Amino acid sequence: AQSVTQLDSQVPVFEEAPVELRCNYSSSVSVYLFWYVQYPNQGLQLLLKYLSGSTLVKGINGFEAEFNKSQTSFHLRKPSVHISDTAEYFCAVTLDNYGQNFVFGPGTRLSVLP
Amino acid sequence: ETGVTQSPTHLIKTRGQQVTLRCSSQSGHNTVSWYQQALGQGPQFIFQYYREEENGRGNFPPRFSGLQFPNYSSELNVNALELDDSALYLCASSLDRESYGYTFGSGTRLTVV
């Protein structure tokens, strides 16, 4: 079975600083990888996804992530954060077959400080 | 802009009661999955419906049940509510069970007192 680890439960960072949110997964077969953002009292919004091809994936709001198969990682990065990026970020995987469900990590709380 | 609508947005129920949560999937999406997100945790898979039949289930007891209708709407029913059922319930839909094409709704916040 797959599992997802997000090593940092909370990440405080100053506005305009770069940030990296870490995600590692375990799976013996090929997976699809996702990052979702959840603002307070809201549902999940897709930031980006890796299905195949280039290992560097660009998403919305200036975020990008890099798939590293050898390290089974999919870390999320942004070169310069804004106050509005304060939210909970979830890494998720699915198997690359039809009918599979998401397995989510526990989330990382990003707090952008002025 | 999400095409998945959930209702109600908030709900308070008493322990032992039954509750029905509703989801209107994105048009044409014949697959719907439900997730439970407890406070401070990532969402946990409850079950998936495909063409009105249950197509997979997570580690949830039978008192969690669902229905999917031909008009792309679905329901999550929970019987004999327990305090631990308090959570945000998320619905996600996709076309033909595509694992990479899910759209999530904004969720229903259920509080059991």
Side-chain angles (χ1 to χ4, degrees):
Chain A
Q2 315 97 277
S3 65
V4 177
T5 302
Q6 292 182 247
L7 298 172
D8 305 301
S9 60
Q10 297 185 58
V11 174
V13 62
F14 288 105
E15 193 173 17
E16 298 183 6
V19 70
E20 178 181 82
L21 305 183
R22 295 180 291 172
C23 172
N24 288 87
Y25 69 93
S26 66
S27 176
S28 58
V29 297
S30 296
V31 296
Y32 295 146
L33 295 154
F34 304 78
W35 275 98
Y36 282 88
V37 60
Q38 187 174 40
Y39 298 102
N41 299 313
Q42 294 189 27
L44 300 177
Q45 181 181 2
L46 179 66
L47 278 176
L48 48 79
K49 60 188 176 187
Y50 172 79
L51 306 182
S52 64
S54 173
T55 58
L56 183 62
V57 180
K58 294 190 182 298
I60 63 171
N61 301 340
F63 284 94
E64 64 180 32
E66 187 157 19
F67 170 55
N68 188 319
K69 188 173 182 179
S70 63
Q71 297 186 5
T72 60
S73 67
F74 190 55
H75 300 333
L76 181 70
R77 303 186 185 100
K78 186 170 182 177
S80 176
V81 295
H82 302 282
I83 297 288
S84 59
D85 292 324
T86 294
E88 192 83 21
Y89 291 79
F90 294 97
C91 181
V93 302
T94 68
L95 296 180
D96 62 350
N97 291 316
Y98 286 102
Q100 302 302 317
N101 57 278
F102 285 101
V103 175
F104 285 89
T108 296
R109 175 71 179 173
L110 175 64
S111 298
V112 181
L113 309 171
Chain B
E1 182 179 353
T2 180
V4 179
T5 304
Q6 293 187 244
S7 63
T9 55
H10 295 83
L11 197 57
I12 300 175
K13 288 287 192 178
T14 303
R15 188 172 50 184
Q17 284 188 315
Q18 179 267 342
V19 68
T20 297
L21 310 182
R22 293 179 173 83
C23 172
S24 178
S25 299
Q26 189 162 325
S27 180
H29 281 192
N30 53 18
T31 307
V32 64
S33 295
W34 286 88
Y35 290 79
Q36 180 196 67
Q37 185 181 14
L39 197 63
Q41 298 182 25
Q44 300 290 318
F45 174 68
I46 302 174
F47 47 58
Q48 180 187 86
Y49 275 78
Y50 172 62
R51 294 186 175 180
E52 302 166 48
E53 293 190 2
E54 188 175 298
N55 188 53
R57 190 176 186 93
N59 189 27
F60 281 81
R63 60 188 184 85
F64 286 78
S65 63
L67 286 172
Q68 186 186 26
F69 304 101
N71 65 350
Y72 308 120
S73 67
S74 61
E75 293 179 352
L76 164 65
N77 299 289
V78 187
N79 294 321
L81 283 167
E82 301 176 359
L83 297 179
D84 286 348
D85 295 333
S86 295
L88 180 68
Y89 288 86
L90 296 165
C91 158
S93 72
S94 78
L95 177 64
D96 289 339
R97 298 177 293 170
E98 289 175 342
S99 299
Y100 53 84
Y102 278 96
T103 300
F104 279 84
S106 296
T108 293
R109 173 73 64 187
L110 172 65
T111 302
V112 182
V113 298

